[in-house]
Amino acid sequence: MAVKRNGGQGKRPQGVEAATEAGRKPGGEPSLSLERIVATAVELLDAEGIEGLKMRRLADRLGAGVMSLYWHVGNKEEVFDLALDAVFAFRGQPQADDLEDWRRDVLRMLEDWRAIMLRHPWSASLLPRRALGANILGRLETMSEALSRAGVADADMNVAIWSLWNYVLGATVTRASFALSDADQAAGQERLSTLSERYPTIERTRLLLDSDWDGTFRKGLDVLLDGLPRG
């Protein structure tokens, strides 16, 4: 997993009018900017997913020619990186200076992370294989600092961070993909009932009817945080 480097701007193609650099295009339409490109890319990803993000389709949404995009981004991969980091921007810097509230801080950060990925399901798919931008690195730094205040030693920090990362990512992907209707859930439970001799425990606990995703996520976090190695 790479750390995103600064730079990477695409070389501007010849022949693109200077009007794209001005505040507005002729006719009063907003000109292209990196901010508009990224915001529109997020909208397109939300609407159509990863496969729906094509440079031509993005340009159409922006009301621009596709070559104009390359004044601001080098390629589609850079758009993915920028869109992913954009959705993880802090909405108000978390407070992380109270020794007694490290657990509250960690829970808030991880619940916010999960909420972002549920709002933007494509982000969970991109996160393990994209460059890490400033916002994601900032979240990891804030998380590490909170765990350090909790007494997690530097030698154990990576284990703690990656355990929480893997849990949140896995729980979010499962929640996003395991969206069964009530009828499907009932049918699955009914089938298990007929096979109770083979699967007695999951039939007894009504696993396929459990839809308390938020409660299960929070309890799982509590288990992980209780088990952190703390000095």
Side-chain angles (χ1 to χ4, degrees):
M1 185 179 301
V3 174
K4 185 174 179 59
R5 295 183 174 87
N6 291 330
Q9 290 276 350
K11 186 176 181 180
R12 291 184 173 127
Q14 298 295 320
V16 179
E17 294 183 4
T20 59
E21 302 248 23
R24 304 184 75 83
K25 289 181 181 179
E29 296 179 8
S31 66
L32 280 182
S33 67
L34 185 60
E35 291 75 15
R36 278 193 68 215
I37 291 171
V38 173
T40 304
V42 170
E43 293 173 359
L44 184 56
L45 285 162
D46 287 345
E48 302 188 30
I50 294 172
E51 297 303 318
L53 181 59
K54 311 292 185 186
M55 294 299 275
R56 184 168 298 281
R57 191 171 298 176
L58 178 59
D60 288 344
R61 280 197 169 220
L62 288 161
V66 68
M67 293 304 296
S68 299
L69 300 182
Y70 295 107
W71 282 78
H72 305 276
V73 294
N75 50 45
K76 185 172 73 172
E77 298 305 307
E78 186 178 345
V79 175
F80 279 133
D81 288 342
L82 293 169
L84 180 64
D85 201 52
V87 300
F88 282 99
F90 283 122
R91 305 295 189 264
Q93 190 73 11
Q95 299 299 313
D97 55 3
D98 190 333
L99 290 175
E100 298 301 319
D101 282 335
W102 70 268
R103 191 183 186 104
R104 177 205 63 188
D105 293 338
V106 170
L107 288 171
R108 283 180 178 175
M109 284 185 277
L110 293 176
E111 288 173 343
D112 182 56
W113 182 12
R114 173 177 179 258
I116 288 169
M117 289 192 292
L118 289 176
R119 286 197 300 272
H120 308 284
W122 52 271
S123 65
S125 299
L126 286 180
L127 194 56
R129 55 192 179 93
R130 304 309 309 173
L132 298 186
N135 291 323
I136 298 172
L137 291 174
R139 286 175 177 269
L140 290 174
E141 175 64 22
T142 303
M143 179 77 62
S144 299
E145 193 276 335
L147 293 176
S148 182
R149 286 189 287 115
V152 177
D154 286 354
D156 297 316
M157 186 63 69
N158 291 348
V159 171
I161 289 292
W162 291 123
S163 295
L164 293 169
W165 172 293
N166 290 336
Y167 174 73
V168 176
L169 193 61
T172 307
V173 169
T174 300
R175 174 66 184 93
S177 61
F178 204 81
L180 298 179
S181 67
D182 291 343
D184 287 339
Q185 285 184 316
Q189 187 63 39
E190 183 178 352
R191 183 170 182 274
L192 278 180
S193 297
T194 66
L195 300 171
S196 58
E197 290 187 2
R198 288 185 64 184
Y199 311 108
T201 306
I202 61 175
E203 193 278 329
R204 184 176 69 249
T205 59
R206 300 173 70 78
L207 176 67
L208 297 185
L209 291 181
D210 185 357
S211 58
D212 185 16
W213 295 101
D214 294 340
T216 298
F217 178 77
R218 182 63 178 269
K219 289 177 183 177
L221 278 183
D222 285 337
V223 170
L224 277 175
L225 294 178
D226 287 343
L228 288 176
R230 297 165 58 197

